[in-house]
Amino acid sequence: KGAVADALIKAVNAFDRCVAGQSREEQEIVSEAMEVWADVHVALAALTHEQVLKVRADINDILEQERFLSSGAFQFDVSAGGAVDSDVANDATKKARNDMTPLSHPLSPDIEDNCNHAMRYLIRSLQVCNASGRRTDITQKLASVYTQLGAHYITMGRFTRAHQHYQQGTQLFQSIGDEQSAASLTFKLGRLFAARAHAAPMAPGLSPDQLGDLLKARSLVL
C-alpha cells in the first residue's frame, strides 16, 4: 500500500507514452497500465480516509518532482484530484488522460466508487489485451471485483442493487466466454433470491412473491 502513488504515476506515464501507438506491444502496455489502475482502486477501497489523503499527498509530491525534471510536463490539483497538461501535447494523449486515467477523478476510500472504477479499467484493459495468459488474469480480477461489490451492496442492505449487479455481471461474463465466473454470480443471485424469500414477513403458506423468489433461486442454483 505504501507504493500506491508510485505505481499509479508510473502506470499513467507508461500509458501516456503508448496510448497513441498502434503496435501490439504498445497496446499491451496500455492494457497493463489500466490493469495497474484497477489494482490501485482495489487498494484504495481497503484504505481509510486518512490513508487516502496520504496517497494524494504522495502523488502530488511525485508529480511536483516530475514537473521540475521535465520543465513542467503537467500540473496536478490534489483537491480536485485531476491532472491537466500544461505543455502543448498530442491531442489523443491529452484527451485520454482527461477521460481515462485515475488522475482525472478524485481519489477516495469509497468502496462502490473504487470497485466501479476498477471494473471499468479492467474491462478496457481486457479489450486491448493480446496475451492469453494476461486475459485470464484480468478476467479473474474482474470477477473478484464484481463479487466484492455485490457483497458490499448486500452488507449495506441494497438488495435490489445487488440483484441488478449480479445480473449485469452474469451477462458480462457470458459475453466474454467466462462461464465459470458467470455461474458463480448466478449462484450468488440465486442465494440472494432465497434470502429475500426467507427474510420477508411470513404469512400462512408462501406469498406469491416468496414463492416466485424461491422458484428463481432453485432454477439458478441447480
Side-chain angles (χ1 to χ4, degrees):
K1 294 177 181 179
V4 169
D6 187 54
L8 172 57
I9 298 303
K10 286 181 178 178
V12 169
N13 289 341
F15 174 85
D16 284 348
R17 289 193 301 270
C18 298
V19 66
Q22 300 298 321
S23 70
R24 289 174 62 90
E25 291 78 9
E26 289 169 317
Q27 288 182 343
E28 204 64 31
I29 290 174
V30 168
S31 174
E32 290 174 359
M34 289 188 285
E35 184 181 359
V36 171
W37 299 344
D39 292 341
V40 165
H41 277 292
V42 171
L44 289 173
L47 298 181
T48 65
H49 179 70
E50 290 73 19
Q51 289 172 320
V52 172
L53 290 179
K54 178 63 167 58
V55 171
R56 289 186 185 180
D58 290 344
I59 290 173
N60 188 47
D61 290 343
I62 294 171
L63 292 178
E64 281 295 319
Q65 293 172 11
E66 289 191 354
R67 183 174 65 84
F68 285 113
L69 291 174
S70 58
S71 300
F74 49 81
Q75 298 172 336
F76 183 72
D77 179 0
V78 175
S79 62
V84 180
D85 291 335
S86 59
D87 291 342
V88 176
N90 182 282
D91 288 342
T93 299
K94 182 186 295 186
K95 186 177 188 303
R97 175 188 290 281
N98 290 338
D99 292 347
M100 294 185 63
T101 80
L103 299 181
S104 67
H105 51 256
L107 303 181
S108 80
D110 185 83
I111 295 176
E112 183 175 2
D113 284 347
N114 281 303
C115 285
N116 280 322
H117 285 308
M119 290 186 298
R120 177 166 63 98
Y121 289 134
L122 288 170
I123 290 171
R124 291 183 175 181
S125 176
L126 196 60
Q127 289 171 341
V128 294
C129 178
N130 299 305
S132 59
R134 282 196 60 247
R135 289 184 65 86
T136 299
D137 292 341
I138 294 169
T139 302
Q140 289 176 346
K141 286 185 178 182
L142 183 59
S144 176
V145 178
Y146 251 95
T147 299
Q148 180 182 355
L149 183 53
H152 172 69
Y153 285 140
I154 292 173
T155 299
M156 300 301 293
R158 300 172 61 185
F159 300 112
T160 299
R161 186 67 190 93
H163 174 202
Q164 296 170 343
H165 175 72
Y166 285 141
Q167 280 190 323
Q168 292 167 353
T170 298
Q171 294 169 357
L172 170 66
F173 287 107
Q174 287 175 339
S175 71
I176 62 178
D178 185 355
E179 295 298 334
Q180 182 175 354
S181 294
S184 175
L185 292 180
T186 299
F187 180 77
K188 294 180 187 303
L189 181 59
R191 291 183 62 183
L192 185 62
F193 278 127
R196 175 184 163 188
H198 288 295
M202 292 301 296
L206 290 175
S207 70
D209 286 343
Q210 287 178 307
L211 180 59
D213 284 342
L214 286 175
L215 289 174
K216 290 176 183 177
R218 181 179 180 183
S219 67
L220 288 170
V221 300
L222 293 182

